[in-house]
Amino acid sequence: MLAFLTTLSLFSTAICHRSAGHGHVTHRILSLHKRENSPPPSRNGKLSFTQTANVTRVTINNPPINLLTTELISDLYEFLLWTQPGPFKTTPKVVIFSSAIPDFFITHFDLGNLATSTPEGQSALNQLVQCGRLLQSITSTAFIAEVNGRTFGGGQELNAQMDMRFAGPNALMSQYENSAGFVAQAGGQLFLGPIMGKARALEYLLGSKQLDARRGTELGVFNNYYGDARTLRREVDALAARIGLFPQSALNNTKFSLSFLNPTTEQLDQQIADFAPIGASPQSQGVIRQSLQDSNETANEYELNIPNSVVQSLYGPELSAMLDQGKSVLDAVDDPNHRSKWGYKE
């Protein structure tokens, strides 16, 4: 028996998988005679996979705008579940998320699922939240966002929870929920504070402002900015390949050691609780119906110009123009045509 255990110790290694939300540690015994594992085919066809050595590239393709539909969220969730370590299973050291659609990385949650309360819509919201938590709790894999398009709303929430983010010339981001009277549900707002600093985060969250690639890099939202898509891909691939050379146990321990910077589980749960009554209110349902009418969730001018298009639609083109010209918000809301839309009562 002792000889068997000694032999087993020579042919196996323990990889620690830790939950970044709770600090829990589980030891996984992985055979050194590794069975090669590939991610299962995307059930809804919204993801495609390319594997090289220890790196998996995930290409998101949900035309026309990579909307966070139930199908895309389900495919993302199933893939992230697959990346969790387990016995006799090889998992990637690095996962790169990129988009097949030039103008969009990942956009907002499918508003149709908020306009009509259905079990499928609620399940999609829950899975979206879990996707964010898996990005943090799976400490044996580094998740990298290769962003060269728009990432708004729920898509930006996932982007903010990636371990690293790199931007190309077409990258634009906005956490624009405040302009529509919402609070983000999937944790993105809470992660922007540590990334940008409280004051900067509040500027962009409360103002529902947009960040381009250069400004986002200056503020720490993106690790780096590259002037063309080819260079972006080359540099991300090079970094991923370099990380992939190193022991997975070291990656696991390093990622876990920085998890103290993450929001707590209690804080993330509170944001979900805050969202539920807001999203179900008559005022919010009116906003959702208006946004669906304006966007039709296609690659039209409304979707291309979020968050300014949301401000224009909900608060009027005159107010949006005043703000763009740098005039005082107080001057703008003093206009009686807009006071009721800002919640003021005469």
Side-chain angles (χ1 to χ4, degrees):
M1 184 67 178
L2 178 60
F4 171 77
L5 292 174
T6 302
T7 303
L8 178 63
S9 69
L10 291 173
F11 287 92
S12 64
T13 184
I15 299 293
C16 296
H17 172 56
R18 314 191 190 192
S19 171
H22 299 86
H24 180 67
V25 181
T26 27
H27 291 277
R28 306 285 190 179
I29 303 298
L30 303 181
S31 170
L32 288 180
H33 297 289
K34 294 178 180 177
R35 184 192 312 166
E36 290 302 321
N37 284 272
S38 298
S42 171
R43 185 188 305 270
N44 299 300
K46 306 303 181 183
L47 307 177
S48 60
F49 308 105
T50 305
Q51 291 181 284
T52 55
N54 296 306
V55 179
T56 298
R57 176 177 284 276
V58 181
T59 303
I60 302 165
N61 189 14
N62 189 25
I65 61 173
N66 278 348
L67 185 71
L68 279 171
T69 58
T70 54
E71 295 82 8
L72 175 55
I73 293 171
S74 176
D75 283 356
L76 286 168
Y77 180 63
E78 290 185 3
F79 169 73
L80 290 171
L81 287 178
W82 172 82
T83 64
Q84 295 182 107
F88 306 103
K89 179 182 179 183
T90 303
T91 57
K93 296 178 183 177
V94 184
V95 169
I96 303 167
F97 287 96
S98 59
S99 171
I101 300 175
D103 288 328
F104 296 92
F105 179 61
I106 311 175
T107 53
H108 52 80
F109 187 73
D110 184 355
L111 296 177
N113 284 321
L114 293 178
T116 56
S117 180
T118 64
E120 293 79 10
Q122 187 56 53
S123 175
L125 273 174
N126 293 339
Q127 286 190 344
L128 177 61
V129 170
Q130 290 305 312
C131 283
R133 300 198 182 186
L134 286 167
L135 289 170
Q136 297 300 315
S137 67
I138 301 171
T139 54
S140 52
T141 298
F143 296 101
I144 299 177
E146 183 183 290
V147 184
N148 195 25
R150 290 158 176 80
T151 175
F152 296 150
Q156 169 53 24
E157 292 196 79
L158 292 180
N159 183 44
Q161 294 177 77
M162 302 280 183
D163 297 311
M164 291 166 271
R165 296 161 296 278
F166 296 88
N170 298 323
L172 293 169
M173 58 100 12
S174 178
Q175 202 75 68
Y176 70 96
E177 285 84 353
N178 271 61
S179 65
F182 296 118
V183 61
Q185 180 181 6
Q189 288 185 337
L190 294 175
F191 278 86
L192 278 181
I195 291 170
M196 301 172 69
K198 179 182 176 181
R200 293 288 195 190
L202 287 174
E203 175 187 350
Y204 282 87
L205 291 170
L206 297 181
S208 294
K209 296 176 69 175
Q210 185 185 91
L211 277 174
D212 63 16
R214 290 183 183 275
R215 184 59 175 156
T217 302
E218 291 172 359
L219 296 177
V221 175
F222 300 114
N223 291 57
N224 210 342
Y225 159 80
Y226 299 100
D228 61 85
R230 181 176 297 180
T231 303
L232 169 66
R233 174 154 297 199
R234 184 182 70 237
E235 293 298 321
V236 169
D237 282 344
L239 175 64
R242 182 182 177 92
I243 294 171
L245 294 173
F246 309 143
Q248 198 159 22
S249 57
L251 186 163
N252 182 79
N253 289 328
T254 300
K255 181 172 173 178
F256 176 77
S257 70
L258 292 178
S259 63
F260 75 94
L261 295 169
N262 296 344
T264 65
T265 301
E266 291 74 18
Q267 290 171 325
L268 292 166
D269 287 344
Q270 184 60 52
Q271 194 162 57
I272 296 173
D274 291 341
F275 175 85
I278 297 174
S281 70
Q283 180 181 5
S284 295
Q285 287 298 306
V287 168
I288 291 167
R289 288 192 296 272
Q290 181 65 50
S291 296
L292 278 169
Q293 178 181 320
D294 292 336
S295 76
N296 200 27
E297 299 191 327
T298 59
N300 60 14
E301 287 301 308
Y302 183 90
E303 288 288 346
L304 289 167
N305 290 296
I306 289 175
N308 290 338
S309 55
V310 177
V311 175
Q312 290 174 343
S313 174
L314 297 179
Y315 304 104
E318 298 87 355
L319 175 58
S320 182
M322 291 178 72
L323 297 181
D324 286 342
Q325 294 165 14
K327 294 185 178 179
S328 165
V329 173
L330 292 177
D331 290 340
V333 299
D334 276 341
D335 184 337
N337 293 323
H338 301 300
R339 288 179 67 83
S340 62
K341 294 185 178 181
W342 283 83
Y344 287 89
K345 295 182 179 180
E346 299 298 337

